[in-house]
Amino acid sequence: MEGRGATAATKSAGLNKRHGKASSNGVRAGGKEELGKWGRAWEVDWFSLMGVILLLCLAPFIVFFFIMACDQYQCSVTQPLLEVYSGKATLMSIWTRAPSFSWTSAKIYAAWVSFQVFLYVCVPDIAHKVLPGYVGGVQEGAHTPAGLINKYEINGLQSWIITHFLWFANAYYFNWFSPTIIFDNWIPLLWCTNILGYAVSTFTFVKAYLFPTNPEDCKFTGNLFYNYMMGIEFNPRIGKWFDFKLFFNGRPGIVAWTLINLSYAAKQQELYGEVTNSMVLVNLLQAIYVLDFFWNEAWYLKTIDICHDHFGWYLGWGDCVWLPFLYTLQGLYLVYHPVQLSTMHVAVVLILGLAGYYLFRAANHQKDLFRRTNGNCTIWGHDPVYVECTYSSADGKKHHSKLLISGFWGMARHLNYTGDLMGSLAYCLACGGGHLLPYFYIVYMTILLVHRCIRDEHRCHSKYGKDWTRYTAVVPYRLLPGIF
């Protein structure tokens, strides 16, 4: 969480403006310093192990439940539960009614993933040469726990542009396939994404034991379930540039996100002769988020997913299955229940979504500006205030970092997450109040981001030690200033 911070404070609290004295960290009970022991857990307690096993068992079922609820019960989340409870249906009867795997969907998905691999590996980024302000091409990530710095080919925005150009060219000119192709094969595609998700997770799990990319950054907890889910290798790679974590984090799931929504809109047009304003709103707000992700892909190299999480089932399966199927529930719901919103409803949802995006982006921009300039910048017209600290990597080297406590980061430690939650709520509210299903997303995102706050702060405390304690004393709130 380098460069992340919270409220304006005084120098007497041990803070700095532009320059300051660094403190030590990484000291454990008994005064023994443990180097590079920050990041994902090295040892697993029974509570964490049970949570891992539950997620491994329940997450695929949750995805299946929501997709089947739409396919068989018109997006009702209570009716299938009541039917199973009353004996009118069984889990097996619901399973047998579901469309099965098809070779057509397998060919579609294989072509999709292969195309994204081609764009990622074989098409170097030129977008940064023609788009002012965009950072692409070869970029460096953050220091790993072992002290390494990985290089990445940032070309996600270019891949997104090429993919969507071809999509619209097909829809309006070539007519190679129907724009509803994704919706029409949605459940068979679910089985295909599961196959890839489990395959890539298992491959990287075995790879970590047999031929890891960087052995220094591997973490073996001694528990197979935890290692499989949370990952062993930090940056598993094939060759110099194919980085599993960067590829699956952004492609093929997030590139597909906007295409999936477009396919939903096309299906709504096909079924009802129009695209409702709610569908347009969902497509617009989620497209803003996706484009923001790819415009700032280089910045994401310094976020928790890339620079702290190891690559396991949590990212591999999650990016292949959980993300494309559950992050797009609003659009799927609107195919089954087309909602035409009032002008006032549209305005409220749009304002909430845009305000959330502004908070998310402005807060992240402040942190990125502070980090890129090493504090030689202004935040809200003033010199930034920060806590200066040090941490150690596994090679014994000392590194310096600054935790910003000016601007938005002076209000709460994760105010960017607050903006993210505002946007997530807007997606759900665009669907009206007829069913519970579209609101799963805000429930899930709240759980995810609160858990991420706790997980990130545990890692930061392990990494920065006493410096982190000083920082949290200055910025006591996580998400909601004055409340939480």
Side-chain angles (χ1 to χ4, degrees), residues 270-284:
E270 178 184 285
L271 291 174
Y272 310 109
E274 66 172 352
V275 177
T276 62
N277 57 8
S278 56
M279 180 68 84
V280 173
L281 200 54
V282 167
N283 270 260
L284 174 64

Side-chain angles (χ1 to χ4, degrees), residues 4-15:
R4 182 170 292 173
T7 52
T10 62
K11 293 182 180 179
S12 61
L15 311 180

Side-chain angles (χ1 to χ4, degrees), residues 102-138:
S102 72
W103 286 108
T104 298
S105 61
K107 292 174 184 177
I108 293 170
Y109 193 62
W112 165 251
V113 175
S114 298
F115 183 59
Q116 292 306 311
V117 171
F118 171 77
L119 292 178
Y120 176 58
V121 175
C122 302
V123 186
D125 186 74
I126 61 171
H128 69 282
K129 298 180 180 180
V130 297
L131 295 176
Y134 172 64
V135 179
V138 177

Side-chain angles (χ1 to χ4, degrees), residues 21-43:
K21 185 179 180 180
S23 302
S24 62
N25 77 299
V27 178
R28 300 293 181 266
K32 183 179 179 180
E33 185 175 342
E34 298 191 24
L35 304 177
K37 288 289 187 180
W38 44 275
R40 206 207 68 194
W42 287 79
E43 297 178 355

Side-chain angles (χ1 to χ4, degrees), residues 2 51 66 80 103 113 159-160 164 166 219 223 271 290 321 359 367 383 456 470 472:
E2 299 169 43
F66 281 110
W103 286 108
V113 175
S159 298
W160 187 92
H164 285 71
L166 292 175
K219 283 190 177 181
N223 186 281
L271 291 174
V290 170
V321 183
L359 180 58
K367 182 177 65 175
D383 287 347
D456 195 17
R470 290 194 300 122
T472 55

Side-chain angles (χ1 to χ4, degrees), residues 206-228:
V206 174
K207 177 182 179 298
Y209 286 94
L210 300 181
F211 50 99
T213 303
N214 293 309
E216 305 94 333
D217 273 317
C218 289
K219 283 190 177 181
F220 298 91
T221 64
N223 186 281
L224 289 177
F225 291 105
Y226 193 89
N227 287 346
Y228 182 74

Side-chain angles (χ1 to χ4, degrees), residues 58-67 109 112-113 186-201 248-249 251-254 256-257 260 264 312-329 440 444:
L58 292 180
F61 173 78
I62 291 172
V63 177
F64 176 80
F65 171 78
F66 281 110
I67 301 305
Y109 193 62
W112 165 251
V113 175
W186 197 221
I187 297 176
L189 284 170
L190 173 61
W191 312 133
C192 298
T193 58
N194 269 280
I195 291 171
L196 178 62
Y198 278 100
V200 71
S201 302
F248 284 98
N249 190 59
R251 285 74 59 85
I254 296 185
W257 188 346
I260 293 166
Y264 291 156
W313 182 88
Y314 173 77
L315 290 178
W317 180 88
D319 289 331
C320 288
V321 183
W322 186 275
L323 188 156
F325 282 88
L326 294 189
Y327 284 29
T328 61
L329 278 178
F440 167 79
Y444 160 72

